[in-house]
Amino acid sequence: MNRMLISTLLLMTTATIEARQLPTYLDETKPIEERIDDALSRMTLDEKIAVIHAQSKFSSPGVKRLGFPDFWTDDGPHGVRPDVLWDEWEQAGQSNDSCVAFPALTCLAATWNPDMARLYGENLGEEALYRDKDMILGPGVNIYRTPLGGRNFEYMGEDPWLASRMVVPYIKGLQSKGVAACVKHYALNNDEEYRHQVNVIVSDRALHEIYLPAFKAAVTEAGTWGIMGAYNLYKNQHNCHNDIMLNQILKGDWKYDGVVVSDWGGCHDTDEAVKNGLDMEFGSWTDGLTMGKTNAYDLYYLADAYKQGIKEGKYTTKELDDKVRRVLRLFFRTTMNRQKPFGFLCSESHYEAALKIAQEGIVLLKNDKNILPIQGGKRILVVGENAIKMMTVGGGSSSLKVQREILPLDGIRERFKDCEVDFARGYVGDTVQSYNGVTVGRSLYETRTAEELTAEAVEKARQADVVIFVGGLNKSDYQDCEGHDRKEFGLPYGQDQLIEALVKANPRLVYVNVSGNAVAMPWLAKVPAVVQGWFIGSEAGEAIASVLSGDVNPSGKLPFTWYQQLNDCGAHALGAFPGTWRDDYKVIDEEYKEGIYVGYRWTDKQKIKPLFAFGHGLSYTTFKLGKLSADKTQITTDDKITFTVNVTNTGKLAGAETVQLYISDKVASVDRPVKELKAFQKVYLQPGESRDVTLTIGRDALSFYDEATHAWVAEPGTFEALVGTASNQLPARLSFELK
């Protein structure tokens, strides 16, 4: 019996019990707030306590007496995670919980296309609906502060404006299907190692200008129904029950009406959880994350301890009723929403969406001598473990059980079936065969030595017309993985030495980097072509092959700055990562000494040349920007200004270019970045086609956060608009005045 039928029967039963008169909370013609008031007035203390904490690893109870079904969450944000056992992380062993894996969110951000974010959310929502999931635990919008961040692949890059523009349509798309988003991890979650102990020390200005804007947009523009608190601390309070973050900023300043969900095991104290804004507690003291007691849900901080405190007079029901109101509002938006569409699982349209997003997000970083696209030649050698390793398996909570994953080697062989495509592993990085009960599709077992693998690859490279090296990181511990940060900026497993040997044997080498992070490339000058392939899900192999072959003209742009060396990053240059243990070794204080100077803001300030700039990405065609114009030269604080630039495809292939607008404040009373991204638009053009691109900004694009007044300030004076195709390629410039 499905959940909708059960819910209907419960509603019918309840209506009969209520003397044949439909209670207000069941009357869909009534406003939700009236229905919430009515349902709340009917709930017992036990029922109220029950709905604010988990009853299993991923679910919380509804109110069965009143006809509210149980509420089910599931990990995203890249696909619907396989069902696990009631109390444990291990799979439940079901046969109907496979999914389509969509590209990791770094790839989505690299599309620089909000339409792709909307498509992503809608398709993910349909998969969640089919699996009876009411909330997807995603998307993630924490800022890419350092390339060692283990979970960067789940986030949307270093720039708050880019992340804001991409997260809003994702949420709207997901919630249009009646599935709640749960935006994470709020906030300042930039460490995985010792993530429960990190106490972030950051200026108010950096907090509001860099680390909060994407969360704010998720609340005030997208209307997200869920926010997940982060593991780390801010001002010595855990962010799952942090007075400043939750009560003052989120629910006070932003007027958030949704629920705050704890990260699993992120709640630590009943008193703080009661008073400091946490609404739903998950993952505390059950087998798995924190290795507590089996079936210990009554021992949660917001369970018996909270109920007993109310009975003893320690707490009133004021905070409880606010939490329950929010949970009931969530129920009416999801489980009690009878207008939800039908879900689909692993449909053709979902695979098409995953492929399209992947193709738009792949970034062509370098293409000397036009070695790409690959045309001509009969012998192709593919080298690298990442060509045969499933990247949907592993990496933490984003690990999936997919219906299919096209591996890069298989995609290349299918696309170049008229060629002789050979393979050499080249190196061994990971021989693990399963993760959380999901087995990899191809054996990674290897007995040969590193020397033997290198020798084989080099010998085969000498015989090939072109070599495609598929390497990078791999979602193993200390690579791109939840729970651990990377230990080094360089490529692991001896890949640098292998690349040097291969390019010496055959200079026609294409390097495809699979990762969610930047990596050091000491051999870059010798390698003619470099492609950033990300973790791109079920259609990985087809997407990569379509770009390498030229079937798809790459149009992705980097969502973060790719440093030449680790100390080119502000957090590392200032010794501000990973922080310092206090004397009691219970908390790590990590001061964000770089302040607002994250990514390109730092390299601009220090005049450091990155390996690849923020916003960089090449194409197989060429584009030319015309002169920049504006509809006015002076604006007031309540006005907007629109910039126009003509873009022409001057090459021989259809393609897409992303026009980027940065703003520079020429004279300010505070230290400001050289420039900041404030608008962008992706434009698709046929060969020879021209189109005007318009970019509009207002006062908010000129403002900084004033720590003295705790307000956003736009100072009158001269500003400069800089327009181009990357943060270091901004040829069109125009000054204007704010009066």
Side-chain angles (χ1 to χ4, degrees):
M1 190 178 293
N2 64 37
R3 292 173 65 195
M4 184 168 288
L5 179 57
I6 292 172
S7 178
T8 302
L9 290 173
L10 285 167
L11 297 180
M12 292 169 61
T13 302
T14 303
T16 302
I17 291 173
E18 295 289 341
R20 301 183 185 278
Q21 182 179 354
L22 195 66
T24 299
Y25 75 92
L26 292 178
D27 187 347
E28 295 183 1
T29 66
K30 299 290 187 182
I32 283 183
E33 298 307 313
E34 285 186 25
R35 300 173 70 188
I36 292 170
D37 289 342
D38 185 55
L40 185 65
S41 71
R42 299 170 186 267
M43 292 174 67
T44 67
L45 177 61
D46 284 344
E47 287 169 340
K48 290 179 180 180
I49 290 292
V51 300
I52 63 170
H53 68 82
Q55 66 174 358
S56 76
K57 186 59 73 176
F58 281 101
S59 74
S60 62
V63 189
K64 295 175 179 59
R65 183 178 63 86
L66 300 181
F68 290 89
D70 292 345
F71 184 82
W72 284 87
T73 71
D74 210 336
D75 271 315
H78 311 133
V80 186
R81 186 176 181 167
D83 290 329
V84 299
L85 296 173
W86 192 260
D87 261 342
E88 302 174 20
W89 290 112
E90 286 304 310
Q91 273 198 75
Q94 297 182 5
S95 59
N96 64 344
D97 59 350
S98 297
C99 70
V100 173
F102 298 93
L105 292 189
T106 42
C107 179
L108 175 61
T111 69
W112 286 61
N113 186 348
D115 290 340
M116 289 296 100
R118 175 78 190 206
L119 181 70
Y120 197 122
E122 290 175 349
N123 281 265
L124 180 60
E126 289 177 353
E127 297 249 327
L129 275 177
Y130 185 91
R131 294 271 306 282
D132 281 336
K133 306 304 180 187
D134 305 305
M135 172 180 277
I136 286 293
L137 304 175
V141 291
N142 291 97
I143 292 298
Y144 184 109
R145 179 177 174 242
T146 159
L148 299 191
R151 217 164 177 178
N152 281 340
F153 70 95
E154 290 190 45
Y155 300 143
M156 296 190 183
E158 73 182 32
D159 185 77
W161 180 254
L162 175 62
S164 297
R165 294 312 92 203
M166 297 303 289
V167 74
V168 168
Y170 178 117
I171 294 168
K172 288 183 175 180
L174 179 64
Q175 294 186 167
S176 73
K177 303 300 180 179
V179 177
C182 188
V183 182
K184 62 187 188 184
H185 302 88
Y186 180 74
L188 302 163
N189 189 81
N190 304 111
D191 299 73
E192 285 301 298
E193 213 71 43
Y194 306 111
R195 55 189 176 172
H196 292 273
Q197 285 83 34
V198 172
N199 177 55
V200 175
I201 302 168
V202 63
S203 70
D204 283 351
R205 188 171 170 208
L207 177 68
H208 286 272
E209 290 191 18
I210 303 296
Y211 297 99
L212 291 186
F215 289 104
K216 183 178 182 181
V219 171
T220 61
E221 296 181 52
T224 185
W225 299 338
I227 289 275
M228 181 185 288
Y231 284 135
N232 54 280
L233 300 89
Y234 168 67
K235 292 188 181 292
N236 298 304
Q237 280 187 343
H238 281 94
N239 277 354
C240 286
H241 34 71
N242 188 294
D243 180 54
I244 295 174
M245 284 292 184
L246 301 180
N247 288 337
Q248 297 181 36
I249 296 175
L250 180 64
K251 295 181 177 180
D253 297 343
W254 300 347
K255 310 302 180 186
Y256 177 58
D257 71 355
V259 298
V260 174
V261 176
S262 74
D263 203 343
W264 269 232
C267 185
H268 300 271
D269 181 85
T270 296
D271 200 52
E272 287 193 3
V274 169
K275 298 175 181 178
N276 291 348
L278 180 63
D279 300 312
M280 299 182 80
E281 178 187 2
F282 283 88
S284 301
W285 298 105
T286 54
D287 288 345
L289 190 63
T290 51
M291 295 307 295
K293 295 182 178 180
T294 300
N295 204 28
Y297 303 101
D298 288 340
L299 302 182
Y300 275 30
Y301 296 101
L302 288 181
D304 281 356
Y306 188 11
K307 182 170 65 176
Q308 191 62 31
I310 290 174
K311 289 181 175 180
E312 294 172 355
K314 182 178 181 181
Y315 309 115
T316 69
T317 57
K318 177 185 176 183
E319 293 89 356
L320 176 62
D321 284 350
D322 179 69
K323 298 176 195 297
V324 177
R325 281 182 186 279
R326 292 172 181 274
V327 173
L328 289 173
R329 191 175 292 120
L330 180 64
F331 287 172
F332 283 121
R333 287 167 167 170
T334 56
T335 60
M336 298 294 283
N337 174 11
R338 304 181 72 186
Q339 308 304 317
K340 287 190 293 188
F342 292 103
F344 301 92
L345 187 68
C346 300
S347 71
E348 294 88 344
S349 62
H350 294 172
Y351 283 111
E352 289 170 2
L355 176 61
K356 184 172 179 58
I357 294 163
Q359 289 169 333
E360 279 214 29
I362 290 173
V363 184
L364 179 60
L365 294 174
K366 181 181 179 181
N367 192 24
D368 285 358
K369 302 177 182 178
N370 294 321
I371 189 173
L372 290 176
I374 296 172
Q375 296 177 345
K378 291 296 181 181
R379 292 170 298 179
I380 296 174
L381 174 65
V382 178
V383 180
E385 180 180 280
N386 281 1
I388 60 168
K389 177 175 169 55
M390 287 182 70
M391 293 299 180
T392 59
V393 181
S397 59
S398 65
S399 182
L400 300 170
K401 183 171 80 175
V402 294
Q403 186 187 53
R404 74 167 187 249
E405 178 179 350
I406 301 174
L407 299 173
L409 176 60
D410 297 333
I412 292 168
R413 279 180 168 159
E414 176 63 25
R415 172 57 183 82
F416 295 98
K417 59 179 62 175
D418 294 334
C419 300
E420 176 188 334
V421 179
D422 200 1
F423 174 71
R425 182 165 182 169
Y427 70 93
V428 177
D430 189 359
T431 58
V432 175
Q433 299 298 297
S434 67
Y435 185 91
N436 272 155
V438 180
T439 56
V440 299
R442 184 171 305 194
S443 174
L444 299 175
Y445 182 70
E446 183 62 69
T447 60
R448 290 172 293 174
T449 65
E451 291 75 15
E452 290 172 322
L453 291 169
T454 298
E456 178 198 40
V458 168
E459 182 56 33
K460 288 185 175 184
R462 293 193 180 104
Q463 310 303 317
D465 294 312
V466 63
V467 178
I468 303 171
F469 186 102
V470 185
L473 309 180
N474 66 8
K475 285 190 168 183
S476 296
D477 286 348
Y478 304 105
Q479 300 305 320
D480 279 329
C481 182
E482 179 182 358
H484 296 286
D485 293 314
R486 295 168 64 196
K487 292 185 174 181
E488 58 188 7
F489 189 40
L491 285 171
Y493 316 125
Q495 291 179 78
D496 287 335
Q497 293 82 359
L498 178 58
I499 292 169
E500 293 274 7
L502 287 171
V503 76
K504 185 176 181 180
N506 189 332
R508 291 183 57 79
L509 176 66
V510 178
Y511 175 64
V512 179
N513 188 66
V514 176
S515 75
N517 267 307
V519 298
M521 294 182 174
W523 34 260
L524 182 63
K526 304 173 187 176
V527 175
V530 178
V531 174
Q532 176 58 18
W534 312 110
F535 299 116
I536 48 180
S538 288
E539 297 293 311
E542 183 175 351
I544 289 171
S546 68
V547 169
L548 295 179
S549 65
D551 295 341
V552 168
N553 192 348
S555 62
K557 298 282 188 175
L558 284 179
F560 52 72
T561 301
W562 199 299
Y563 305 105
Q564 295 196 50
Q565 55 193 1
L566 194 57
N567 274 348
D568 288 347
C569 170
H572 296 276
L574 298 174
F577 179 88
T580 305
W581 285 100
R582 293 184 188 172
D583 292 339
D584 57 7
Y585 288 92
K586 293 181 180 179
V587 175
I588 299 173
D589 283 324
E590 184 169 343
E591 183 179 358
Y592 286 23
K593 297 177 182 178
E594 70 278 14
I596 61 173
Y597 292 99
V598 176
Y600 69 88
R601 290 167 170 82
W602 174 262
T603 55
D604 283 351
K605 180 180 176 66
Q606 301 299 323
K607 298 181 179 176
I608 296 171
K609 183 179 180 181
L611 198 62
F612 301 109
F614 172 78
H616 168 78
L618 304 176
S619 171
Y620 294 149
T621 190
T622 54
F623 298 92
K624 181 180 179 181
L625 269 62
K627 186 178 179 181
L628 183 65
S629 63
D631 63 346
K632 53 180 71 73
T633 58
Q634 295 182 351
I635 65 170
T636 64
T637 55
D638 296 325
D639 203 358
K640 293 184 181 296
I641 182 170
T642 297
F643 299 94
T644 302
V645 64
N646 185 266
V647 185
T648 303
N649 182 342
T650 55
K652 298 179 179 179
L653 298 173
E657 181 59 279
T658 300
V659 181
Q660 303 165 35
L661 167 67
Y662 297 77
I663 295 296
S664 176
D665 189 349
K666 306 312 291 183
V667 180
S669 63
V670 297
D671 194 24
R672 299 202 70 178
V674 173
K675 61 180 182 290
E676 296 180 282
L677 179 72
K678 293 301 177 182
F680 61 88
Q681 183 177 326
K682 197 166 192 174
V683 57
Y684 298 83
L685 298 171
Q686 296 296 320
E689 183 182 5
S690 293
R691 190 176 304 170
D692 284 343
V693 172
T694 59
L695 301 163
T696 300
I697 62 168
R699 176 183 181 276
D700 58 331
L702 313 178
S703 302
F704 62 88
Y705 186 82
D706 182 55
E707 294 183 330
T709 61
H710 305 290
W712 289 88
V713 174
E715 294 179 331
T718 301
F719 293 82
E720 187 176 30
L722 303 91
V723 173
T725 56
S727 62
N728 65 341
Q729 298 292 328
L730 301 168
R733 304 189 174 201
L734 190 65
S735 293
F736 63 98
E737 298 286 329
L738 174 65
K739 292 295 184 181

